[in-house]
Amino acid sequence: MEEKREPKIVGFLCKWCTSAAADLAGTSRMQYPPSIRPIKVMCSGSVDMSYILRALLMGADGVLVGGCHPADCHYLSGNYKARRRIAILKSIFDTLDLDSERIELKWISASEGKKFADTVKEFNDKLSEKGPNDFTKSWNL
Amino acid sequence: MTGIKILKTEKGINQGLEDLFRELLQDKILDGIIIPKSTPENKFIYQVLHKDPEKLSGTFTFSPVMPSNSATLLKNMTKLVPSDERIGIVLKPCEMRAVVELVKLKQINLENIYLFTVDCAGTVDIDIYSKAETDRDMLNKKILDSFNSSDTLPEVRTACGICSHSYPADTTDIGIGLFGSNTNEVYISFHTEKGKEIVSNMKNLTDSEKSVREKAIQSISEKKDKIREEYLNKFKSEVSGIEKLTSYFSKCINCHNCKSQCPICFCRECFFESETFDYESEQLLTWADRSGMLKMPTDLLLFHLGRMNHMVSSCIGCGMCSQACPVGIDVGSLFLLTGRNAQTIFNYEAGRSFEEELPISTFREEELTELGE
Ligand code: SF4
Ligand code: SF4
Ligand code: SF4
Ligand code: FES
């Protein structure tokens, strides 16, 4: 039987919440797939959508943006703005029959280590089911 | 705050309107007017800022070509300091819609600016117009004649063929219209206080009924709406999926002309032209190692999709990007298609109103709740 392919996930994680949750998950020894490459950002609102595009175009199987729950953003509205931008990006993907499910936004607070571990696990499972991202099929990007 | 009048002229539409603008300058109602005008050799048409009423000649209020989106001109003129003289500007409806977006993006200050929007039967590609040589006058006439025929001229740009907003909307101060008019007659409408003031100072206008004009506009926009839907549905199937999308852009030479001519892409320094994208050999070699080869220049699709993501919620579908593309890629249809769907999420339509908030600069706490949870 073919060995199950480990997906690559790029995570843009807000340093005030999701990034801390990832640390918590680690120190509490919660199990989650090593497929995520976390990148700490100042706020989910500081993630330009071209970072997500770059990751996907370069062959990442999925991108997870982790931010503070509504009303909890340290810069007041970064998370709400990120949500709108991601909605636009997903809509572009849907219009062009690209796979918008490879882009995930989650609100995960610093204390939610378990939610972080579960999110990565679920996303990982979904992505391994999907197989490689379509962008990897073409070198002509 | 709207009203409509009629200008009757025996000299031809463009000439009649030129006389009207001349009087506005002579009577000091306006200090200047920006209006499309033929170059001396009659080879091309540009926007020209006129101050001297005597120099007003060879103008084309209903110009058949649009070298660039005039909203960009207004942005450059007023972004830092508003005009201290009263300037009128003649705009196509898509230029007016770009003005609305740029005002909301705080790139245009409308103080002392008077917006005249014309009906538009479409414009031809700059290439076609400049190469038309002997046919140029015929082309001008054909466009004028097509206002009251039921079909759009086949020569017009793709964006124009599917444009369903081809008449002055209530965002403009003054409207100049031919749809539904009789021979040698032009509708002059006002839509704002500023517009009312200007129109009340115009001589020789006669009163008119709104109903004929309204019916003509309605039937045109309904018809074009249908054409647009059909076109976009077909177009979507031509660009959807990664293979079709990359093949759509396969001849792109990465010149960024589409961005330079886009009125909405106003950034002085475009992110995609920043040093982030100047790679040294080490970086390129690392990438090439991963799959054995690397297309150069890199980041072609990243530029198009990234630009799309930045500005498509304000794309007004003017098609300047397609006109500027040296290799003939119809960038505009792609942005129109994706823009329309993205704008729908926020119940927004780019260029429709000064009041509707820009999707990217605002948010609602209770929305899009399927994301994040
Ligand atoms: S993307 Fe193209 S069609 Fe849209 S506003 Fe810019 S130039 Fe016009
Ligand atoms: S692509 Fe983005 S950064 Fe570049 S000019 Fe357009 S909006 Fe600005
Ligand atoms: S103008 Fe045409 S060739 Fe130039 S970057 Fe845009 S799509 Fe590519
Ligand atoms: S600070 Fe965490 S999302 Fe803004």
Side-chain angles (χ1 to χ4, degrees), chain B residues 264-276:
Chain B
I264 307 303
C265 267
F266 63 82
C267 307
R268 222 160 238 280
E269 243 198 275
C270 174
F271 176 61
F272 300 100
E273 284 162 9
S274 66
E275 279 179 19
T276 315

Side-chain angles (χ1 to χ4, degrees), chain A residues 48-50 53-54 57-58 77 80 83-84 89 91-92 95-97 105-107 135 139-141, chain B residues 236 241-242 246 271 279 287 290 293 295 299-301 309-310 341 359 362-365 367 372-373:
Chain A
D48 190 282
M49 294 304 109
S50 49
L53 282 166
R54 144 121 322 152
L57 285 162
M58 288 243 150
S77 60
Y80 293 122
R83 185 167 67 184
R84 279 206 162 198
L89 184 60
S91 150
I92 292 174
T95 303
L96 300 177
D97 276 350
L105 174 70
K106 281 279 179 199
W107 311 135
F135 289 125
W139 58 268
N140 187 22
L141 302 171
Chain B
K236 180 173 163 23
I242 187 64
T246 48
F271 176 61
Y279 309 114
W287 284 335
R290 292 202 331 200
M293 60 181 183
K295 181 184 170 205
D299 301 324
L300 212 128
L301 205 55
N309 206 90
H310 282 179
N341 290 348
T362 182
F363 59 87
R364 303 275 174 276
E365 287 176 19
E367 67 176 2
E373 295 313 328

